[in-house]
Amino acid sequence: MNFEMTLADRLQKLKKSLPAYVTLVAVSKTKPVSDLMEAYKAGHRVFGENKVQEMVGKFHEMPKDIKWHMIGNLQRNKVKYMASFVHLIHGVDSLKLLKEINKQAQKNERVIQCLLQIKIACESTKSGMSSKEAENLLKSDDFKALKNIKITGVMGMASFTEDKIQISKEFKTLKLAFERLKELQKNMGVISMGMSGDYPLAIECGSNMIRVGSLIFGNRQYT
Ligand SMILES: *Cc1c(COP(=O)(O)O)cnc(C)c1O
């Protein structure tokens, strides 16, 4: 990254480079509210976090017109803490989790938008469903009974590798899964794929929602 540029500069430059149909989720995990406010003041309203507690804390401190995206692996017992405000949950990978989201959404008299996470990486550490599992889920009566959730698309994470051919193969797999699932779920529109290191490739392969952290906020420090 270019340290001559301010956070707002990096954000604006990135935004200008994106096609208009691509939604930028600014991934602010581990970053202080002051950094998020810099992005907010530069006009940004879409933020992504991967830990529920952290997102809830930031939600309370930040202005209320922000769209909060939960992008991390989600434990069922944490859904209730964010059900009143979360805008989109990216990493949904089971009917069990969907049922809990539905239950908490109902309590809050809301419909919560979710993306099905599809496993596209060859690494065993990355979670998600197979395309077939997602298809079966969408076809099931259990799923059809859930009235307070809406599946608006799919999400995936490519393998952690420099191999561009491998990464683009995985992105294309997600795009294909999206096309198949859209047959069952006509109003699906979101393909969430691409991060700081691979978002241009992801867009080439059909992404319309990218999740970018370090390119905007700088490298993360984990203590
Ligand atoms: C952290 C994270 C990102 C952003 O990663 P960067 O490489 O910093 O852009 C995107 N998606 C998920 C699911 C993440 O956990």
Side-chain angles (χ1 to χ4, degrees):
M1 64 183 272
N2 186 345
F3 287 94
E4 304 292 314
M5 293 169 80
T6 65
L7 192 161
D9 289 340
R10 291 194 297 271
L11 179 64
Q12 299 299 9
K13 188 176 170 215
L14 171 60
K15 276 187 161 174
K16 269 190 203 147
S17 76
L18 300 175
Y21 63 84
V22 174
T23 300
L24 170 63
V25 180
V27 177
S28 48
K29 62 191 187 194
T30 78
K31 297 295 175 180
V33 164
S34 55
D35 283 6
L36 280 73
M37 276 313 295
E38 258 189 85
Y40 182 87
K41 284 181 184 143
H44 201 70
R45 295 293 181 271
V46 184
F47 292 86
E49 291 283 337
N50 72 337
K51 295 217 160 58
V52 174
Q53 280 98 327
E54 188 175 342
M55 187 171 81
V56 169
K58 286 171 175 172
F59 165 75
H60 286 298
E61 289 189 61
M62 299 279 295
K64 293 295 167 285
D65 59 343
I66 289 171
K67 289 176 174 164
W68 292 99
H69 289 223
M70 175 42 60
I71 63 168
N73 287 330
L74 184 55
Q75 287 169 281
R76 266 178 292 148
N77 60 359
K78 303 249 171 84
V79 174
K80 56 179 175 283
Y81 301 115
M82 62 174 188
S84 67
F85 69 91
V86 68
H87 177 73
L88 179 63
I89 300 177
H90 287 234
V92 177
D93 61 357
S94 73
L95 182 63
K96 248 180 164 179
L97 178 57
L98 263 183
K99 282 183 175 171
E100 176 63 16
I101 296 169
N102 185 72
K103 181 173 147 193
Q104 298 302 334
Q106 209 166 10
K107 280 190 189 166
N108 287 276
E109 298 179 344
R110 301 183 63 208
V111 172
I112 297 181
Q113 301 183 63
C114 301
L115 304 179
L116 294 180
Q117 184 168 357
I118 308 294
K119 183 175 156 60
I120 53 173
C122 48
E123 299 151 18
S124 57
T125 51
K126 301 234 160 66
S127 47
M129 293 180 280
S130 69
S131 171
K132 190 73 200 160
E133 285 169 333
E135 200 175 303
N136 289 339
L137 187 153
L138 293 179
K139 281 180 181 163
S140 70
D141 291 336
D142 276 353
F143 167 74
K144 287 174 188 159
L146 306 177
K147 300 298 178 206
N148 291 71
I149 51 110
K150 187 172 167 192
I151 303 292
T152 56
V154 295
M155 178 265 205
M157 284 175 88
S159 297
F160 188 70
T161 170
E162 295 290 310
D163 183 351
K164 288 246 156 53
I165 294 172
Q166 176 66 25
I167 295 173
S168 80
K169 231 198 243 166
E170 294 175 2
F171 284 154
K172 283 171 185 163
T173 302
L174 186 62
K175 169 81 161 126
L176 271 175
F178 172 83
E179 301 297 347
R180 277 179 63 181
L181 297 172
K182 199 174 156 61
E183 300 282 308
L184 299 165
Q185 188 77 1
K186 302 275 188 247
N187 55 11
M188 278 197 354
V190 177
I191 305 178
S192 167
M193 61 182 183
M195 320 196 333
S196 290
D198 56 21
Y199 74 88
L201 189 56
I203 293 170
E204 266 178 50
C205 296
S207 170
N208 58 20
M209 184 176 281
I210 60 174
R211 311 175 307 267
V212 176
S214 39
L215 199 67
I216 300 168
F217 296 102
N219 290 329
R220 286 177 292 275
Q221 255 146 25
Y222 292 99
T223 47

